[in-house]
């Protein structure tokens, strides 16, 4: 029988290697894994039971809430609050930070999540995902929780990852020791190690962006796209364009095949001048995974993981993936700003 490491075994083995580990993180992770299985079960039944379509409500982002979005949010909130190791949670679906009530046991961890990302794809049976980002509080547990405990730089993440509901369900995460991927075996109900120590190819061959918005981009961003489409780029031929419009799925493909995901700033909506993706629940966890796999992530000027969040639902331009490709984006933006200063 082949050796099949479950995600729980993997976490427990790692816990043993961390001096002073208390088992709190393992407890939190177990609840995440269980939530992922429950959400995966609901996703797999979509179309058969009444989970497609809208709830009739609008979320904090001004987007119509899908029934599955709301379901995934409720599952995560309920399970994670009962892990006994969190002091606060934040979700893409909720306006504010949610403190774990005093009636429940609490701990030092903080989790930020997007319960079901790519939700415009739910009703058409296209891949969607759950994204999470985990921090430890900085203030003393006796003191009141500060917003700075939740709004930490991405470089302070203790773990981050995503669950991809695709042709199979996969959990991909990093605790700061590389990136590991586990595939849910539905016959035994366990996530089994299928992709140990994932490394993103240094040189990509795919670009992923919503090119339909090109006319709303600034000059630097247009130059970036022109580079990837040019036969004079590092590949000496145009990259392939692949865009599902579901961050987890687009990111995951590029992680395995090599490439760059981009959601730049655009001028479509004056309310969202810095792009669409949210720093804390989307960009930071993906940037953490990318860097742990040997890739990079930037907003064009500074590494995503170095950005000091100003508020929970802050949006940032996002370029993330293979090292050479992201470095090229940084070079194009830097040359442009040098040129602007000279002019
Ligand atoms: P969605 O609105 O369907 O939830 O941030 C959410 C997200 O999807 C990402 O998953 C995806 O990459 C992006 O938005 C797609 O946005 P566009 O439709 O503007 O390309």
């Amino acid at each position: 029988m082949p050796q099949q490491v479950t995600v729980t075994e993997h976490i427990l083995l790692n816990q043993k290697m961390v001096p002073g580990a208390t088992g709190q993180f393992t407890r939190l992770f177990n609840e995440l894994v269980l939530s992922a299985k429950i959400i995966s079960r609901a996703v797999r039944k979509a179309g058969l039971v009444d989970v497609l379509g809208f709830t009739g409500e609008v979320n904090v982002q001004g987007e119509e809430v899908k029934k599955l979005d709301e379901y995934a949010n409720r599952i995560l909130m309920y399970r994670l609050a009962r892990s006994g190791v969190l002091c606060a949670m934040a979700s893409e679906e909720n306006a504010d930070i949610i403190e774990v009530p005093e009636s429940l046991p609490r701990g030092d961890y903080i989790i930020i999540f997007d319960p079901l990302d790519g939700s415009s794809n739910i009703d058409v049976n296209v891949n969607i995902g759950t994204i999470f980002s985990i921090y430890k509080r900085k203030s003393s547990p006796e003191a009141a929780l500060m917003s700075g405990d939740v709004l930490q730089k991405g470089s302070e993440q203790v773990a981050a990852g995503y669950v991809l509901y695709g042709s199979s369900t996969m959990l991909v995460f990093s605790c700061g020791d590389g990136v590991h991927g586990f595939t849910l075996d539905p016959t035994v109900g366990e996530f089994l190690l299928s992709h140990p120590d994932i490394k993103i190819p240094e040189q990509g061959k795919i670009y992923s962006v919503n090119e339909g918005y090109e006319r709303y981009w600034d000059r630097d961003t247009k130059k970036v796209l022109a580079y990837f489409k040019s036969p004079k780029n590092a590949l000496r031929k145009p990259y392939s364009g692949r865009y599902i419009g579901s961050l987890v799925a687009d990111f995951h493909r590029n992680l395995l095949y090599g490439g760059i995901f981009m959601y730049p700033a655009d001028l479509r909506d004056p309310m969202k001048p810095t792009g669409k993706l949210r720093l804390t629940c989307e960009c930071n966890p993906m940037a953490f995974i990318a860097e742990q796999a040997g890739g990079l992530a930037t907003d064009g000027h500074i590494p995503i993981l170095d950005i000091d969040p100003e508020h929970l639902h802050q949006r940032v331009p996002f370029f993330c993936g293979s090292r050479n490709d992201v470095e090229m984006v940084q070079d194009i933006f830097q040359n442009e700003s040098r040129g602007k200063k000279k002019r």
Side-chain angles (χ1 to χ4, degrees):
M1 169 145 180
Q3 196 189 359
Q4 296 203 299
V5 178
T6 69
V7 68
T8 316
E9 254 177 286
H10 177 92
I11 294 286
L12 283 170
L13 285 173
N14 279 11
Q15 182 193 319
K16 275 198 194 134
M17 284 183 239
V18 180
T22 58
Q24 284 204 23
F25 181 81
T26 306
R27 179 92 191 84
L28 174 58
F29 217 82
N30 282 341
E31 290 299 345
L32 252 179
V33 168
L34 179 56
S35 307
K37 288 180 194 171
I38 296 172
I39 297 168
S40 176
R41 184 183 58 187
V43 171
R44 300 285 168 225
K45 282 193 196 159
L48 295 173
V49 294
D50 182 30
V51 289
L52 295 181
F54 297 98
T55 61
E57 279 164 26
V58 172
N59 72 8
V60 55
Q61 318 289 345
E63 300 156 349
E64 286 188 283
V65 178
K66 296 261 178 165
K67 286 183 193 164
L68 258 182
D69 256 336
E70 208 247 347
Y71 177 78
N73 201 33
R74 259 191 300 126
I75 295 294
L76 283 160
M77 290 281 175
Y78 182 88
R79 294 246 53 100
L80 295 171
R82 277 151 190 81
S83 66
V85 304
L86 286 177
C87 52
M89 298 181 281
S91 163
E92 192 241 7
E93 295 295 324
N94 299 71
D96 300 315
I97 295 164
I98 299 151
E99 280 198 51
V100 175
E102 278 179 23
S103 55
L104 293 172
R106 299 202 277 189
D108 291 342
Y109 285 100
I110 292 150
I111 189 162
I112 305 179
F113 56 84
D114 183 348
L116 218 50
D117 191 74
S119 49
S120 57
N121 291 306
I122 294 174
D123 292 0
V124 287
N125 211 350
V126 171
N127 300 359
I128 45 183
T130 298
I131 310 175
F132 59 90
S133 165
I134 300 172
Y135 295 86
K136 262 197 148 171
R137 80 182 281 173
K138 288 185 156 174
S139 62
S140 143
E142 282 78 45
L145 190 78
M146 321 258 277
S147 66
D149 287 320
V150 179
L151 299 179
Q152 299 187 41
K153 283 185 186 173
S155 54
E156 310 277 354
Q157 288 170 104
V158 294
Y162 57 83
V163 184
L164 171 62
Y165 311 102
S167 41
S168 55
T169 297
M170 264 194 89
L171 169 63
V172 176
F173 67 93
S174 174
C175 299
D177 60 345
V179 178
H180 309 287
F182 294 78
T183 301
L184 182 62
D185 181 339
T187 60
V188 289
E190 287 282 5
F191 280 99
L192 302 175
L193 183 60
S194 52
H195 295 65
D197 201 17
I198 299 173
K199 295 286 175 225
I200 186 167
E202 201 175 355
Q203 172 63 54
K205 50 187 182 194
I206 294 170
Y207 73 88
S208 311
V209 69
N210 192 335
E211 218 170 322
Y213 303 149
E214 188 182 1
R215 65 159 52 233
Y216 302 108
W217 296 346
D218 60 20
R219 218 167 57 160
D220 308 14
T221 312
K222 286 181 182 165
K223 275 197 173 177
V224 165
L225 181 69
Y227 168 82
F228 289 118
K229 291 169 77 169
S230 161
K232 292 189 184 142
N233 60 28
L235 273 187
R236 300 276 154 220
K237 59 177 184 187
Y239 284 48
S240 281
R242 293 279 186 280
Y243 189 69
I244 298 167
S246 194
L247 172 62
V248 177
D250 280 310
F251 176 90
H252 184 73
R253 181 201 50 242
N254 294 357
L255 177 69
L256 298 186
Y257 289 168
I260 183 164
F261 177 90
M262 307 186 272
Y263 207 113
D266 67 57
L267 299 173
R268 264 179 313 145
D269 179 352
M271 299 299 287
K272 298 175 192 163
T274 50
K276 181 181 181 189
L277 300 191
R278 278 126 309 200
L279 173 63
T280 58
C281 66
E282 293 176 313
C283 304
N284 270 339
M286 292 315 201
F288 189 76
I289 296 285
E291 289 207 2
Q292 284 292 321
L296 289 174
T298 178
D299 69 352
H301 302 280
I302 57 168
I304 292 292
L305 296 181
D306 287 353
I307 299 175
D308 233 330
E310 285 163 21
H311 58 90
L312 192 57
H313 297 286
Q314 182 174 345
R315 297 172 196 264
V316 291
F318 189 53
F319 302 87
C320 180
S322 291
R323 178 169 286 270
N324 292 354
D325 300 339
V326 178
E327 277 175 353
M328 183 50 67
V329 171
Q330 283 166 336
D331 284 354
I332 291 172
F333 274 85
Q334 268 160 25
N335 285 337
E336 279 293 304
S337 42
R338 255 184 251 130
K340 269 181 210 150
K341 269 185 209 146
K342 270 194 211 149
R343 281 195 282 272

